[in-house]
Structures are given as C-alpha cells and as structure tokens.
Amino acid sequence: MSGEMSPTGKPSEPGSAPELRASHADRDRAVDVLRIAAGDGLLTADELDERLEAALSARTRRELAALTADLPPAPSARGATAAEAKDVVRIEQVHSGAVERKGRWVVPRRLELAVTYCDVTLDFSGAVITHDTLRIDVGMTGKTLTLVTAPGVVVDTDGLQLVHSRVKYQRTPPDPDPDAPVTLRVELVGQKAHGRVVVRPPRRTFGQWLLRRPAALSASA
C-alpha cells in the first residue's frame, strides 16, 4: 500500500523501515545537550525554550537528532570509547566523608568496598561501561550503600549477607522496549552490617517532571 504515513505525519518511503520511537531516556539526553549548549552560549534563551518544547514532545529519535545536529555532544558522551576499565578498584574509608562515584566514571570489572560508617553512592546513570558484569565485594558497616541504576543496568543482591541491615530495591519504571538487553549486571557479594542498601533509578529530570500526567490520561493517550 503506497502513501502510508509515519508517526510524525510524513509519508513513508516504500519499503522503508519505520522510524525508531524515542524513549524518556532519549529525550533526557537531548535535553542535557540543549541545556549545556545554552550554558556555553551556543543557544539563545528563545532558541533553548523552542528546542526544549520540541524535544519534550518528540516521538522519534530522528526528531531529537534534528534538534541537536548542530551542537556538540554532552560531556558524558565524549571519548567514552577510549576509556579503559581497571580489573580491580579498592576503596578503603573509615569514619570520614561520603564516597561517591558519579558522572562519567569508568566502571571497573571488580570493586572492593572496605568502608566503615561512611555513605557510599555508585551512580551508573552516566558511567562509562565497557563490559557486562561488575562484581562488588562488600565489607561495609553502618550508613547506606546506594546504587543508582540506568536502563539496562540490573543489580543482584542475592549473594550479599545482611547483618542488622536491609535492602530497598526500587525498580526502574518499565521501558518502552521490554526486550532491551542488559548492558551491565552488578553482583553484590560479601557482608553489609547495620545501615541499609538502596537500589534505585535516577531522580526525575526536569524534562520528565514536565512530561508527567495522571495515569488515566497516560493510558488513554
């Protein structure tokens, strides 16, 4: 049948594949690029507002690509292919400041935590991931171990021994593509005494807050 329309309302070429739909994560990445570009003086306030509105309502990845085609990529995406993961990283800390790995940090193949009464946060939402499995040997007493996941990142806590501690696992909301592959499997082993372990997705971005609607409206859209 000729003259079929794409989701954007444009005629599809005969025999062409359908355009890929944009996910919340795709829109968030585009919003990050736009905000950074505006901060660097590459976009005016009016241009930023116009492109943000278009990004938040975009239905396909092609629409998002058009909005950022004339802008440099976000820092978290630059040079990721050149990163090399270490085989083992050991973190030792006692009664001191919080331990944090955020932003574009390179995920090692194995991480050893020897921490006493210090909060630990491992944020995988912007991390450079070069392999499919991370083993974390936990030797931690007190405070909270927080793991921030991302689409494709799963955490296995079955091998972790809990002593006067508990695990709170907040699942990532269902992705538009339920068959999306697992990009990183995080395996927790060892012992967590006192305090707790929290596994959660990233906090909602500004773009996601603007997109939120009542469940009834979302179901009927």
Side-chain angles (χ1 to χ4, degrees), residues 4 24 46 55 86 128-129 134 144 147 155 174 176 193 199-200 208:
E4 291 185 356
H24 287 316
D46 289 340
K86 294 182 179 180
V128 177
I129 300 171
L134 166 64
T144 301
L147 288 82
V155 179
V199 182
R200 63 168 177 83
Q208 287 175 325

Side-chain angles (χ1 to χ4, degrees), residues 20-209:
L20 292 177
R21 305 280 291 194
S23 67
H24 287 316
D26 294 327
R27 296 186 189 93
D28 290 342
R29 283 190 287 269
V31 167
D32 287 340
V33 172
L34 294 172
R35 293 176 63 187
I36 291 173
D40 290 341
L42 300 176
L43 294 175
T44 65
D46 289 340
E47 288 174 326
L48 176 61
D49 289 343
E50 180 180 350
R51 295 198 190 192
L52 282 178
E53 183 178 355
L56 295 176
S57 61
R59 295 192 175 208
T60 68
R61 293 183 180 180
R62 179 181 295 182
E63 292 177 73
L64 292 175
L67 296 172
T68 59
D70 59 343
L71 302 173
S76 60
R78 297 172 187 168
T81 56
E84 293 185 4
K86 294 182 179 180
D87 289 331
V88 181
V89 171
R90 183 175 176 83
I91 298 176
E92 295 185 43
Q93 208 151 308
V94 178
H95 293 284
S96 58
V99 177
E100 294 184 340
R101 294 294 184 272
K102 296 182 178 181
R104 191 179 167 275
W105 64 288
V106 181
V107 177
R109 291 178 175 81
R110 180 179 169 189
L111 181 61
E112 298 178 351
L113 290 179
V115 179
T116 301
Y117 286 99
C118 302
D119 286 315
V120 178
T121 299
L122 304 175
D123 188 342
F124 297 98
S125 62
V128 177
I129 300 171
T130 61
H131 49 284
D132 58 8
T133 303
L134 166 64
R135 175 189 169 104
I136 302 181
D137 293 320
V138 181
M140 184 173 174
T141 301
K143 298 289 187 175
T144 301
L145 169 60
T146 302
L147 288 82
V148 181
T149 59
V153 177
V154 297
V155 179
D156 182 356
T157 63
D158 290 345
L160 186 63
Q161 180 182 1
L162 300 174
V163 179
H164 300 294
S165 185
R166 63 188 179 91
V167 173
K168 179 180 180 182
Y169 201 137
Q170 182 180 347
R171 304 288 177 177
T172 303
D175 191 89
D177 181 6
D179 298 322
V182 173
T183 56
L184 179 67
R185 180 182 181 84
V186 182
E187 300 176 350
L188 296 181
V189 299
Q191 184 182 95
K192 175 69 173 77
H194 305 284
R196 60 178 182 158
V197 178
V198 175
V199 182
R200 63 168 177 83
R203 304 297 187 195
R204 282 184 174 180
T205 64
F206 176 71
Q208 287 175 325
W209 278 108

